[in-house]
Amino acid sequence: MASSSSPQRLFHLLSLILLLFAFCSISESSQFCDAGIGYGESCGVSSSSSTKLLIKGGTVVNAHEMEVADVYVEDGIIVAVRPNIKVGDDVTVLDATGKFVMPGGIDPHTHLDMEFMGSGTIDDFFSGQAAALAGGTTMHIDFVIPVNGSLLSGLEAYEKKSKKSCMDYGFHMAITKWDEVVSKEMEIMVNEKGINSFKFFMAYKGSFMINDELLLQAFKKCKSLGALAMVHAENGDAVYEGQRRMIELGITGPEGHALSSPQWLNFRKRLEGEATARAIKLAGFVNTPLYVVHVMSIDAMEEISKARKSGLKVIGEPVVSGLVLNDSWLWDPDFITAAKYVMSPPIRAAGHGKALQAALSMGTLQLVGTDHCTFNSTQKALGIDDFQKIPNGVNGIEERMHLVWDTMVESGQISVTDYVRVTSTECARIFNIYPRKGAIRAGSDADIIILNPNSSFEISAKSHHSRSDTNVYEGWRGKEATAPSLGGPWWL
Ligand code: URP
Ligand code: ZN
Ligand code: ZN
């Protein structure tokens, strides 16, 4: 079971105060967009149907409590949550007895329709969101990638891409180079566009990576804007060197991605820990909060743990692949099988996932993302002769809710209330959309899912909703989860 210690609660309070600083601009802005239901609807249309709906007799779960109650919804907004609500004949009634009625999942980390490593992710804002809804996720936050370094051009491009949306979404901004123009554009993002979370890359040398000198400038800028700095923490120079060594040794297959340096030194995972520590120190030096995305290794998690214990405001986001998979797949003799597991930072050896699960259950890590960044077999085959050219990324937007349930709740590592916290509420709090999202309470959006704990189905590329022809969670099990007020039922 998870528990929050007092220092962690204090941290939540402090980070909330800090992040609420920017709330006014966010709440009136376009960072979080109500998308229309269905393909082709544009941003700004109400997300929910106008039907009146009563969800009866389920166990309503919030991050802090659960109770058997009815939930009454009108025009996409929760109107009342209490036992024995009486309604007229014009209301659709759903019996949720024996099921959990919970806030829909919010995925803090996705890449839909992203150009990356000479290719483009196969899921766009329609197929990716359809997959999300099918898996009980009702909102996600995607990363805008600048165009030739320009944040404004990048946002313009993503506004077009996201017109296909069928559910609510928000944007973080990735920063892929640093200069005065970018610095000024960050001001525009925060003050006019409502985007106040920025991801900096300490890896992908030669493309997205920025060095420490620039990272420090960027962190200072985040602090001055009251924005949240996010990092992809890997030592990009050393990763590059390690990859070069692998190629020199003639190791060109996907296993080279995990090795990138002699395995007995376990070198590459250390490069994540080193970069995490460095980013934490630089953010601490500037005294600005830090959000570490896709925490994949014990080393990185321990750095976050140390920092939090010392009072620094650091948030750690594990992703589903890091929690439940291990790197053995990268040694599969079949290239396509192995290549589908290539992502960065790499999926680690067995043992890291278990440690990350424990850290999530103890509150050392706070919320679970997916880094959904999907390429099909043909796209992955770009790296058939050289693992460095395999487009990095795995699926997860559809599977996250199932795998966190299966791995964390079914195993008894976290409670059902903590499940809601790590899959929904914490994300809503950190990114200033709580309690509109992340809660089942009067006044909140009716982004509700009903999860049947007694159901079971097998995850497979044959039946999933992503456009990819592969699935890294093939054979894992999920629960039936529906989103009744969002045009569902989205039966799995
Ligand atoms: O392999 C990954 N993670 N692909 C997406 C880009 C990123 O670094 O998040
Ligand atoms: Zn990243
Ligand atoms: Zn990512």
Side-chain angles (χ1 to χ4, degrees):
M1 296 284 172
S3 64
S4 289
S5 64
S6 303
Q8 280 155 354
R9 274 169 207 220
L10 187 62
F11 166 72
H12 285 313
L13 267 178
L14 288 171
S15 56
L16 247 183
I17 291 165
L18 187 119
L19 293 167
L20 282 174
F21 204 60
F23 180 76
C24 293
S25 65
I26 290 285
S27 61
E28 288 159 12
S29 71
S30 60
Q31 182 185 16
F32 299 104
C33 189
D34 293 331
I37 293 288
Y39 188 91
E41 293 283 348
S42 64
C43 191
V45 182
S46 169
S47 65
S48 304
S49 67
S50 62
T51 48
K52 296 175 182 173
L53 180 69
L54 181 69
I55 304 168
K56 258 200 111 38
T59 302
V60 175
V61 190
N62 278 300
H64 57 289
E65 63 180 0
M66 58 185 195
E67 54 169 345
V68 174
D70 300 344
V71 181
Y72 179 57
V73 173
E74 256 184 40
D75 295 331
I77 302 290
I78 298 171
V79 175
V81 184
R82 59 170 191 273
N84 300 317
I85 297 176
K86 303 275 177 264
V87 289
D89 291 345
D90 59 334
V91 176
T92 307
V93 180
L94 276 181
D95 182 9
T97 309
K99 297 177 183 165
F100 292 111
V101 179
M102 311 192 282
I106 310 175
D107 187 341
H109 187 155
T110 62
H111 302 280
L112 300 181
D113 206 351
M114 176 177 72
E115 283 165 39
F116 189 49
M117 296 186 71
S119 199
T121 54
I122 193 80
D123 282 322
D124 62 15
F125 278 79
F126 180 68
S127 67
Q129 293 185 352
L133 282 169
T137 286
T138 54
M139 181 176 173
H140 69 109
I141 314 181
D142 208 83
F143 288 86
V144 171
I145 307 295
V147 175
N148 299 325
S150 163
L151 313 194
L152 281 167
S153 305
L155 181 58
E156 202 181 315
Y158 271 72
E159 279 168 348
K160 283 198 191 117
K161 293 176 193 215
S162 59
K163 283 198 188 305
K164 296 175 179 178
S165 290
C166 52
M167 66 188 231
D168 287 356
Y169 60 92
F171 286 138
H172 310 291
M173 177 63 69
I175 302 289
T176 52
K177 72 169 195 182
W178 184 258
D179 58 25
E180 268 315 299
V181 179
V182 171
S183 171
K184 281 270 165 257
E185 285 190 328
M186 275 178 72
E187 290 173 22
I188 299 173
M189 289 302 135
V190 172
N191 297 327
E192 295 172 31
K193 308 291 184 187
I195 295 181
N196 71 348
S197 39
F198 297 92
K199 177 178 174 184
F200 304 97
F201 293 88
M202 300 168 82
Y204 304 126
K205 187 176 164 78
S207 59
F208 292 173
M209 181 172 140
I210 62 171
N211 65 24
D212 287 359
E213 186 189 351
L214 301 181
L215 196 59
L216 199 57
Q217 298 308 316
F219 284 175
K220 272 164 62 184
K221 190 73 190 180
C222 284
K223 182 178 171 62
S224 76
L225 291 171
L228 182 61
M230 310 171 91
V231 280
H232 173 134
E234 279 189 289
N235 186 318
D237 287 316
V239 168
Y240 177 77
E241 169 65 17
Q243 290 179 332
R244 215 179 45 81
R245 281 191 209 165
M246 285 300 105
I247 297 293
E248 276 169 15
L249 287 169
I251 300 172
T252 57
E255 73 278 15
H257 183 69
L259 293 170
S260 294
S261 196
Q263 192 189 10
W264 55 90
L265 288 179
N266 247 342
F267 191 55
R268 184 147 185 193
K269 77 177 174 64
R270 296 212 174 132
L271 301 185
E272 188 190 348
E274 183 278 327
T276 305
R278 194 156 30 100
I280 288 170
K281 287 191 178 98
L282 292 178
F285 181 65
V286 173
N287 193 19
T288 198
L290 183 70
Y291 182 113
V292 184
V293 303
H294 46 45
V295 177
M296 299 295 281
S297 65
I298 294 173
D299 311 57
M301 177 271 287
E302 283 178 345
E303 296 297 339
I304 292 168
S305 175
K306 263 195 287 179
R308 288 172 63 86
K309 280 186 194 141
S310 76
L312 289 171
K313 300 177 186 67
V314 181
I315 297 162
E317 171 211 81
V319 290
V320 179
S321 51
L323 287 171
V324 309
L325 300 175
N326 67 63
D327 70 351
S328 57
W329 291 103
L330 290 165
W331 272 264
D332 196 287
D334 175 48
F335 172 83
I336 288 304
T337 304
K340 72 179 178 180
Y341 293 91
V342 169
M343 66 168 286
S344 289
I347 295 166
R348 308 299 178 185
H352 286 267
K354 276 267 168 237
L356 296 177
Q357 290 172 26
L360 182 66
S361 76
M362 290 183 298
T364 303
L365 302 173
Q366 289 71 49
L367 72 169
V368 182
T370 62
D371 199 1
H372 183 84
C373 181
T374 309
F375 300 97
N376 66 18
S377 309
T378 312
Q379 294 172 305
K380 288 276 183 181
L382 285 171
I384 187 93
D385 296 322
D386 178 353
F387 68 86
Q388 298 171 103
K389 298 189 179 137
I390 300 170
N392 284 201
V394 301
N395 63 292
I397 201 168
E398 185 166 353
E399 296 80 13
R400 181 184 71 125
M401 299 295 278
H402 301 302
L403 293 166
V404 176
W405 184 275
D406 192 54
T407 311
M408 302 299 295
V409 181
E410 296 258 297
S411 66
Q413 291 188 87
I414 62 171
S415 62
V416 181
T417 49
D418 280 331
Y419 173 77
V420 166
R421 177 173 57 79
V422 301
T423 59
S424 181
T425 312
E426 196 63 27
C427 181
R429 283 185 185 140
I430 291 167
F431 296 105
N432 303 314
I433 37 170
Y434 181 86
R436 179 177 160 194
K437 306 282 189 193
I440 304 284
R441 64 185 232 183
S444 297
D445 284 2
D447 292 9
I448 300 169
I449 57 165
I450 303 176
L451 185 140
N452 181 355
N454 299 316
S455 62
S456 181
F457 79 101
E458 189 173 309
I459 294 169
S460 171
K462 292 192 190 81
S463 52
H464 71 196
H465 297 74
S466 160
R467 289 199 182 122
S468 179
D469 57 344
T470 65
N471 190 318
V472 293
Y473 307 106
E474 191 74 37
W476 285 75
R477 301 212 68 86
K479 301 282 179 211
E480 174 191 285
T482 63
S485 63
L486 291 171
W490 295 86
W491 297 102
L492 286 157

